[in-house]
Amino acid sequence: MAALKVRWSARATSELNRILMFYALRNGNAKYSRSVMKMIKDTLRLVAKYPLMYRSTSVPDTRVFVCEYFKVYYSVRATCIEVEAVFDTRQNPDKAPY
């Protein structure tokens, strides 16, 4: 099976950018932010090949994987994987998107 294309929703893009900016400013450099981005991209490459490998959520057609302290929510579409949200688990759990 060929790998599906990965698309990012506006929400997921905004959340990820906010998270990466927070850690870059807090740490005084972007090293940790780059590390987080690489982990997420590497996992998404795997998801593109094996879309159903991670656990499903209570929301139909939405699945989630964990990269270090971050949960990445995605949906499997006919032609792509759509990243729907990114959540830093060190936040209040009531803020979680799903």
Side-chain angles (χ1 to χ4, degrees):
M1 179 175 159
L4 298 171
K5 183 177 178 173
V6 175
R7 284 189 5 208
W8 286 76
S9 70
R11 175 185 181 175
T13 301
S14 173
E15 290 170 346
L16 181 63
N17 286 337
R18 184 181 48 76
I19 289 167
L20 297 177
M21 183 64 68
F22 170 81
Y23 286 106
L25 290 173
R26 188 191 80 170
N27 297 341
N29 63 55
K31 185 176 180 181
Y32 180 69
S33 296
R34 284 191 301 269
S35 166
V36 168
M37 192 64 214
K38 182 180 179 337
M39 282 188 295
I40 291 173
K41 281 185 174 184
D42 288 348
T43 305
L44 283 172
R45 263 189 230 107
L46 193 57
V47 167
K49 291 181 182 177
Y50 307 102
L52 303 177
M53 72 181 289
Y54 289 102
R55 68 183 173 97
S56 59
T57 64
S58 59
V59 178
D61 301 324
T62 301
R63 303 182 86 74
V64 63
F65 65 85
V66 178
C67 272
E68 199 169 280
Y69 297 105
F70 306 94
K71 286 186 177 182
V72 179
Y73 296 86
Y74 68 94
S75 292
V76 180
R77 308 279 188 229
T79 59
C80 69
I81 300 296
E82 183 165 355
V83 179
E84 295 182 0
V86 180
F87 180 68
D88 186 337
T89 60
R90 293 171 282 194
Q91 298 181 69
N92 179 346
D94 294 337
K95 292 182 180 180
Y98 300 102

